[in-house]
Amino acid sequence: MTRGGGWSGSGDDWRVVSIGKKAVRDAVNLRSRERRNYFFVRHFKMQLYGTTNVNDRLTIKDDQTSVNIKAVTVIGAFLNAMKAVALEQIKSASPSAITEADILWVVTVPAIWREGGKRLMRLSAESGGLIKPGRSASLLLALEPEAASIWCLSTPYSGIEKGETVVVADCGGGTIDVTVHTVINREETVVKEALPCDGGDWGSTVIDRQFFKLLDDLAGSSFMAEFKNKHPSDWVELVDAWETSKCSFSDTGVNIKLPSQIAAHIGTQGDIDVYNSRQETDYELDDGRLYIDRNDMVKLFAPAVKTTVEHVRSTLAKLPDTKAIFIVGNFANCTILQKAFRDAFEERCKVLVPPQPGDCIMKGAVMLGNAPQSVAERISKYAYGVANYPPFDPEVHSLAYKEIIEGKAYAKNQASWLVKYGEKVPFGKVVTEEYIPIYTGQTSIGFEVYEGRAAGITYLSEDAKNVRKLGYIKSAKTDSDSLKKHGVKFTMLFGFSELAVKTELVDGSVTEASLVRVGLG
């Protein structure tokens, strides 16, 4: 990305110069004086993983210079560039028949992302000009392993029949998502969740961390940090060389051309031999190239592969009748990962790697765009509800929660769950509750929306155990007498890939949002 030429309404003066391999080449070729005007980042999704306070002020860090830019700007710029490519393709295929208003944009996200990450993606789609502000129906967020599952099960080679259960391990660059589906309609490829989707940050970037830890061990971590800061273009070139070697690795070792400064600092083969004897490895340094034999490459892959296999093993322990495991995502091309899955699981069920496993998510996302109801039922990983103030009942409520408001006793911040932890939620489930004001003259009601990560939670606050506040939404204003008489209908929409909430007055006034806009102030 570089400054200047930002798209209309982006709010930031940045534009995408290049993406993918070309972006790497462009970054390498930048002169030092040009670098300050450019922003280069890899794996930006992983900078969002694990972030709980996701909002429109969250930033993403440049891989070379550690400069920070708003995540909405970075992701929005990427989506805007993808939009331009898509519209050009549509225009060339059908010059006049399709307009932007006809398009449903489907953006895929890891299933292990919580509502905050999805919220940011929707904001980014707005920033990138895919959709208009608000809860636009022109955007569907598709969960990546669900999309892959739908695609795999729709193909004739899967051999999966109605009533049978499969595990889909979506093995990507950053995250591993595991979803478990039972087929309920084979002809139309309709499934339901058998277990809640889960996973972690165990993707192939774990292998990258192993390799760069090796360089830290050989050259020293302080030297490597200084090298990255002083020679950003050389650093990008090294990262690209490693990525190429990692992706091409199969049965033989690899060799990687090191920047001359790193090779000189590591020293001689004698210095590496000391490391080898201590670590029981066999690395070689010759003419500026680091040689890694097959056994040592397998060791670098081992943490990511072992964690993934063990997680799938624990999933299968809960579902002994699983018919097949599909391995999808770009990491699924790795022969070491495939062998580990077959060695671990082939005696109990089929292990299937679809052709071009990295494309399964994209193809399945198109199918979900046309038929989002293909995932007919999900299991809620969390409870969702609002903080309520019911009349205080000493037989039910703890005295610690008693609060006197205008002479009446209420139990403050009591959990009013609309969906419970672990509940089976059909596609498009809508839950509505009615609430009344507690203050004289009140003209609207505000709702704090919470997520509960365990069963049996009765009290809600931002510091309560196993509870997280997702945001806040306020009803439209009305006459205080009407509000007291009729109250407010609060609705949560479940069973989609993201939550949505709305409030409604008796006169029909509606405040509606995905949790994107809730609580962003």
Side-chain angles (χ1 to χ4, degrees):
M1 292 168 59
T2 188
R3 292 190 180 277
W7 59 94
S8 174
S10 67
D12 290 277
D13 192 29
W14 288 92
R15 64 182 175 85
V16 172
V17 176
S18 50
I19 294 172
K21 289 288 186 182
K22 187 176 186 304
V24 175
R25 292 193 299 270
D26 288 347
V28 167
N29 291 329
L30 285 175
R31 288 171 289 195
S32 297
R33 65 177 181 271
E34 298 174 314
R35 189 65 189 86
R36 70 176 69 92
N37 294 320
Y38 288 83
F39 183 86
F40 175 76
V41 64
R42 294 172 183 260
H43 309 303
F44 58 74
K45 280 201 311 185
M46 289 309 296
Q47 292 195 34
L48 307 179
Y49 178 77
T51 303
T52 56
N53 187 26
V54 176
N55 56 46
D56 57 352
R57 296 175 296 279
L58 187 71
T59 59
I60 286 177
K61 186 169 67 174
D62 184 298
D63 275 21
Q64 295 174 291
T65 64
S66 297
V67 169
N68 289 301
I69 299 181
K70 283 184 179 180
V72 167
T73 300
V74 176
I75 303 170
F78 175 79
L79 293 176
N80 183 264
M82 294 295 98
K83 173 186 175 181
V85 172
L87 291 179
E88 185 61 34
Q89 294 283 336
I90 292 169
K91 183 179 178 181
S92 63
S94 180
S96 61
I98 299 175
T99 67
E100 249 188 87
D102 299 318
I103 297 173
L104 170 67
W105 299 98
V106 182
V107 176
T108 65
V109 296
I112 58 174
W113 272 15
R114 295 165 77 169
E115 293 305 314
K118 300 173 191 176
R119 174 189 320 184
L120 186 65
M121 290 303 289
R122 187 168 280 275
L123 281 173
S124 300
E126 292 178 10
S127 171
L130 269 68
I131 59 173
K132 295 178 181 179
R135 190 172 178 270
S136 173
S138 297
L139 175 69
L140 172 70
L141 296 183
L143 306 184
E144 289 167 355
E146 289 187 350
S149 176
I150 295 299
W151 169 255
C152 291
L153 291 169
S154 71
T155 58
Y157 65 77
S158 74
I160 304 302
E161 300 298 333
K162 179 179 178 180
E164 293 180 334
T165 298
V166 300
V167 171
V168 178
D170 171 20
C171 306
T175 59
I176 304 292
D177 283 343
V178 177
T179 195
V180 186
H181 282 162
T182 299
V183 178
I184 58 178
N185 185 321
R186 182 69 184 85
E187 291 73 25
E188 298 180 12
T189 316
V190 180
V191 300
K192 65 178 181 179
E193 271 194 337
L195 288 175
C197 181
D198 59 6
D201 57 340
W202 322 310
S204 62
T205 52
V206 173
I207 306 166
D208 300 341
R209 293 198 291 271
Q210 291 293 110
F211 172 72
F212 291 110
K213 181 181 182 300
L214 168 65
L215 293 185
D216 282 349
D217 291 343
L218 294 176
S221 56
S222 59
F223 172 83
M224 290 301 299
E226 184 180 5
F227 174 83
K228 181 178 179 180
N229 289 331
K230 287 187 175 180
H231 307 281
S233 293
D234 292 334
W235 174 259
V236 170
E237 205 162 6
L238 172 61
V239 172
D240 191 49
W242 161 249
E243 184 71 17
T244 300
S245 296
K246 178 185 72 174
C247 293
S248 62
F249 170 66
S250 55
D251 293 325
T252 59
V254 301
N255 70 85
I256 299 154
K257 178 69 175 176
L258 298 180
S260 58
Q261 302 94 323
I262 296 177
H265 193 79
I266 289 175
T268 65
Q269 180 61 38
D271 296 318
I272 289 189
D273 285 342
V274 174
Y275 178 86
N276 284 335
S277 63
R278 188 169 64 245
Q279 300 295 328
E280 298 183 353
T281 52
D282 196 24
Y283 297 111
E284 292 184 31
L285 182 65
D286 183 39
D287 195 25
R289 290 186 172 275
L290 181 65
Y291 288 80
I292 309 176
D293 69 17
R294 186 185 187 283
N295 289 336
D296 288 331
M297 279 294 282
V298 170
K299 290 178 183 178
L300 294 178
F301 276 69
V305 171
K306 181 180 179 181
T307 305
T308 301
V309 168
E310 288 306 312
H311 185 76
V312 172
R313 192 190 308 278
S314 68
T315 300
L316 288 178
K318 302 170 188 174
L319 293 165
D321 295 329
T322 299
K323 189 72 174 180
I325 301 170
F326 289 98
I327 318 173
V328 301
N330 284 323
F331 191 21
N333 287 300
C334 171
T335 56
I336 296 175
L337 183 69
Q338 292 178 14
K339 183 178 185 302
F341 265 78
R342 291 191 172 107
D343 289 347
F345 306 122
E346 213 160 39
E347 288 187 1
R348 60 183 301 178
C349 64
K350 293 188 290 186
V351 176
L352 302 173
V353 183
Q356 299 176 310
D359 293 346
C360 294
I361 295 164
M362 174 188 65
K363 294 173 180 177
V366 174
M367 295 179 69
L368 282 175
N370 285 304
Q373 69 277 10
S374 296
V375 183
E377 182 182 272
R378 295 181 175 91
I379 299 174
S380 185
K381 292 192 289 185
Y382 308 105
Y384 295 100
V386 297
N388 189 23
Y389 273 62
F392 182 79
D393 183 346
E395 307 238 338
V396 175
H397 304 122
S398 167
L399 194 60
Y401 304 143
K402 184 177 181 179
E403 184 172 343
I404 305 299
I405 300 175
E406 296 183 353
K408 296 181 181 179
Y410 294 91
K412 65 181 180 180
N413 292 342
Q414 298 301 297
S416 178
W417 296 122
L418 281 75
V419 159
K420 295 180 180 178
Y421 175 83
E423 183 177 338
K424 294 180 179 179
V425 182
F427 175 82
K429 179 175 181 175
V430 176
V431 181
T432 299
E433 298 284 352
E434 295 187 8
Y435 298 89
I436 59 174
I438 56 177
Y439 294 98
T440 301
Q442 193 170 333
T443 57
S444 66
I445 299 179
F447 297 89
E448 292 181 336
V449 184
Y450 284 88
E451 167 189 281
R453 287 169 277 170
I457 297 171
T458 59
Y459 176 70
L460 299 179
S461 73
E462 293 191 59
D463 58 354
K465 186 179 179 181
N466 291 322
V467 165
R468 190 166 70 93
K469 184 178 177 180
L470 293 177
Y472 179 85
I473 188 171
K474 196 172 186 179
S475 71
K477 287 188 176 181
T478 186
D479 174 77
S480 61
D481 290 337
S482 176
L483 186 66
K484 185 176 181 179
K485 180 179 180 181
H486 300 290
V488 171
K489 291 181 179 179
F490 176 86
T491 299
M492 296 189 82
L493 290 79
F494 299 94
F496 301 92
S497 57
E498 56 182 325
L499 290 175
V501 298
K502 72 175 183 179
T503 66
E504 185 175 2
L505 300 176
V506 68
D507 65 3
S509 298
V510 173
T511 302
E512 183 174 11
S514 68
L515 290 182
V516 173
R517 291 294 177 192
V518 178
L520 292 181

